[in-house]
């Protein structure tokens, strides 16, 4: 990630560090190839780490804001194609950012602008612990939470829900997809032992994008 975002809330909450790990892909019951092709790795040139992002069209990529804080960013596709990325905007209270990278041939993930419900089946994308393009299925286990979390002296995750999926360092910025392959959130944090993911919902994404 762009800066060290390790932090604790109580005794168990850890934000995803993304240091030294590769990034993200996904497979779902439907729209599999579209979602896989929409997922990329973000490599931070300063050596600050690696995160991931999801292509949403026109060379725009969604990721976590804490992945963008330091050094030049390079987008890397699953087949190894690369392109330099620039940060278009960063909404730190929500831990979301939008990047732009031109010249890549990628499919686009569709954003579902409805709030996913507890009990919904989802798939997290990433390469936790250095494993490449891992898809981990699970369930959403909470409704929308709007109380901010204090991490490293900053209030973040103004809107979020929790999913029971396996995530680990290397998962930050990756997409969470429903069972028809639509983006329902962006992974921004985890609680050990790599079980519960903190996710910014797609409704927040749609609001910030003006959709």
């Amino acid at each position: 990630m762009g800066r060290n975002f390790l932090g604790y809330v109580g005794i168990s909450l850890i934000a995803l560090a993304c240091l030294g790990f590769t990034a993200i892909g996904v497979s779902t019951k439907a729209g599999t190839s579209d979602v896989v092709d929409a997922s990329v790795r973000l490599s931070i040139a300063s050596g600050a780490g690696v995160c991931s992002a999801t292509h949403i069209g026109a060379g725009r990529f969604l990721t976590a804001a804490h992945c963008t804080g330091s050094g030049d960013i390079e987008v890397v596709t699953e087949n190894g194609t690369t392109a330099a990325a620039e940060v278009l905007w960063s909404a730190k209270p929500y831990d979301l950012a939008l990047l732009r990278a031109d010249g890549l041939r990628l499919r686009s993930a569709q954003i579902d602008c409805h709030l996913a419900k507890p009990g919904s089946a989802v798939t997290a994308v990433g390469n936790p612990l250095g494993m490449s393009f891992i898809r981990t299925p699970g369930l959403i286990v909470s409704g929308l939470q709007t109380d901010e979390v204090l991490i490293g002296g900053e209030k973040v995750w103004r809107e979020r829900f929790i999913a029971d999926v396996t995530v680990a360092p290397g998962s930050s910025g990756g997409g969470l997809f429903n069972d028809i392959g639509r983006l329902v959130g962006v992974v921004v944090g985890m609680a050990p032992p790599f079980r519960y993911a903190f996710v910014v919902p797609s409704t927040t994404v749609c609001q910030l994008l003006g959709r």
Side-chain angles (χ1 to χ4, degrees), residues 166-187:
T166 300
V167 291
S171 296
S172 271
L176 191 76
F177 297 85
N178 64 16
D179 59 0
I180 60 172
R182 292 183 178 176
L183 185 74
V184 296
V186 176
V187 175

Side-chain angles (χ1 to χ4, degrees), residues 84-173:
E86 61 174 327
V87 179
L88 296 180
W89 55 255
S90 178
K92 290 184 178 180
Y94 299 96
D95 202 3
L96 283 178
L98 186 69
L99 310 180
R100 175 183 175 182
D102 295 324
L104 298 174
R105 296 177 61 87
L106 292 167
R107 295 182 185 271
S108 302
Q110 295 185 20
I111 304 173
D112 190 331
C113 289
H114 298 89
L115 182 64
K117 297 179 179 180
S120 299
V122 290
T123 300
V125 271
N127 73 0
L129 303 179
M131 297 178 288
S132 299
F133 290 86
I134 298 299
R135 292 74 132 161
T136 54
L139 298 172
I140 295 174
V141 295
S142 81
L144 181 66
Q145 301 177 347
T146 58
D147 54 318
E148 293 174 315
V149 177
L150 185 64
I151 296 179
E154 294 185 10
K155 292 182 177 180
V156 295
W157 306 346
R158 183 174 291 176
E159 296 179 354
R160 68 192 182 279
F161 62 78
I162 300 171
D164 182 2
V165 293
T166 300
V167 291
S171 296
S172 271

Side-chain angles (χ1 to χ4, degrees), residues 17-95:
C18 303
L19 299 179
F21 297 98
T22 54
I24 280 177
V26 65
S27 177
T28 57
K29 293 181 181 178
T32 298
S33 60
D34 286 3
V35 176
V36 170
D37 291 346
S39 301
V40 297
R41 184 173 78 245
L42 299 182
S43 177
I44 313 301
S46 65
V50 173
C51 279
S52 64
T54 303
H55 182 235
I56 59 171
R60 269 60 172 178
F61 298 83
L62 280 172
T63 190
H66 71 262
C67 293
T68 66
S70 176
D72 296 333
I73 302 171
E74 185 178 60
V75 172
V76 184
T77 67
E78 189 177 19
N79 65 12
T81 305
T82 64
E86 61 174 327
V87 179
L88 296 180
W89 55 255
S90 178
K92 290 184 178 180
Y94 299 96
D95 202 3

